[in-house]
Amino acid sequence: MNENRDQWGTKLGFILSAVGSAVGLGNIWRFPYIAYTNGGGAFLIPYFFAIFTAGIPLLILEYGMGHKYKGSTPLALSRANKKWEWLGWWPTITAFIILAYYSMILSWSANYLKFSFNKSWGNDSNSFFYKDFLKLTSSPFEIGGMIWPILIGIALVWSINWIICYKGIKGGIEKANKILLPTLIVIMIIIVIRGTSLEGAQLGLNTLFTPDWSKVLDPKVWIAAYGQVFFSLSLAMGIMITYSSYLPKKTDINNSAFMTAFANCGFEFLCAIGVFGILGYMATAQGIPVSEVVSSGVGLAFIVFPTVFNAMGTWGTILGILFFVCLIFAGITSSVSLTEAVSAPFIDKFAWKRNKVITVICMIGFSMSIVFATGAGLYLLDIIDNFVNNYGIVVVGLLEVVLIGWIIKPDTIRNHTNEMSYFSVGKWWNVTVKYVTPAILVFMLIQSLITEIKTPYGGYELSALFLYGWSSIAIGIMGAIILSKQEWKNQNTNYLDN
């Protein structure tokens, strides 16, 4: 086994990096909307239930796998069971696909940071975003021209990924997260303090947290809670297994999993309070209900919020700058973790030098991202993101728990993490990994497929969904099988005696 493997300098560095990976754009623009539309305050019941029955157990599983088998996802799975190596390559390829379009969203944020200094989105932020900025074409098949400001932003993002990951675990990723994450939290606290002191903020917060108890019995609300926890914690993307493989031999794994989950959860609540305080102000200023200004995803960040900043005068400029810096920092911590999750398997498998792998990955990644800087970029993002999240990541997560729960046996991982940790997790963890999490992930998968069959996603033509959506899943599976058939060149990848 490789004793020369890179290591985190401190446990805090690992926790900050893991939380940095988990804290991403979804915390800022997805969680507040999910909570609002799924029962407000009542949503907290399924949400916390999901954290304890899926989020933390899966984090312990992935931390335990990475730490016990001391390898990136394909190596860890290969050491656990040779036949399952391919399952480690699938999330590696998926992470690469996500990186390609994630860099585009970060490029938008960088451009909007520049716009926020003089509010150059004008009075009609909707028209500005789609027509002037994205130059959106009429369909996913009409690629359109190159949008240079977006391409320059994408190049900048890939350069940052390269600089940080090139310097390694301790000197690059750990150092960057020790600066980025605390700064991100401070900025978000400033936004929350100002957002909640605005006139009408109370209306927004009441709208967000007023419980609708009838929603607690709705299965779709529980699915939304599990989906949010699953995606928000960077599970089944190869990140957490890879990050934990760099931990020293003696590390409190169970406690680390709880800390990561709760830190991410706390940041989500912070974002929700800030977002709904500002939306309440906007609704009050326009004399309309909050429900008419609520939005999620790119609409919230690049259309609704710029409209709010317009109405706020000088404070609008300050909040606009802080908000887009927040998006950039949250995105960079996640994109760096994805870059590492893609690079580490190739370093492990082929014994290539880190510097060479990081450079090649970033160059290929940038080339892949170019198509997202065209007029069809938003369509491609929308379709690929839906399929990768609802099918690719969910299936990988499902197969992970099946492998550990039914083939390797949960006690193999649980006994390892308990041996390392100050407090032990009981047999409830085995039950969760064997029964609870698989059942929920299967239900999520079936729901997604039923919805897909009834109504093709986003009203797109089926040909577009196959070309961009299902093909991204197929590429992940085929690429995983091909890579798993290659011989291990690294001499330090002998299998452990289980």
Side-chain angles (χ1 to χ4, degrees), residues 60-109:
I60 291 172
L61 185 153
E62 295 203 347
Y63 285 176
M65 285 286 290
H67 188 263
K68 179 176 172 62
Y69 298 113
K70 276 285 175 277
S72 57
T73 316
L75 177 55
L77 287 168
S78 182
R79 281 176 165 165
N81 186 315
K82 183 74 179 85
K83 292 176 186 169
W84 286 73
E85 184 194 324
W86 68 275
L87 182 59
W89 286 106
W90 187 3
T92 302
I93 295 165
T94 299
F96 204 18
I97 294 168
I98 292 171
L99 259 172
Y101 64 75
Y102 208 74
S103 62
M104 172 187 70
I105 304 172
L106 284 179
S107 170
W108 294 352
S109 304

Side-chain angles (χ1 to χ4, degrees), residues 106 125 194 249 263 272 357 383 393 446:
L106 284 179
S125 59
R194 182 58 190 146
K249 201 166 184 181
V357 173
I383 296 170
I393 291 172
I446 292 168

Side-chain angles (χ1 to χ4, degrees), residues 355-404:
N355 298 353
K356 176 183 167 186
V357 173
I358 295 291
T359 304
V360 171
I361 291 288
C362 289
M363 285 169 70
I364 296 171
F366 172 68
S367 307
M368 284 168 58
S369 299
I370 289 173
V371 70
F372 292 101
T374 63
L378 180 61
Y379 296 128
L380 305 189
L381 153 75
D382 191 25
I383 296 170
I384 296 170
D385 184 62
N386 172 66
F387 280 82
V388 160
N389 277 313
N390 289 333
Y391 303 107
I393 291 172
V394 172
V395 173
V396 169
L398 175 61
L399 292 173
E400 262 184 25
V401 287
V402 167
L403 172 64
I404 302 301

Side-chain angles (χ1 to χ4, degrees), residues 220-233:
K220 284 182 181 167
V221 171
W222 287 78
I223 291 295
Y226 275 89
Q228 178 62 25
V229 166
F230 193 76
F231 302 132
S232 154
L233 286 172

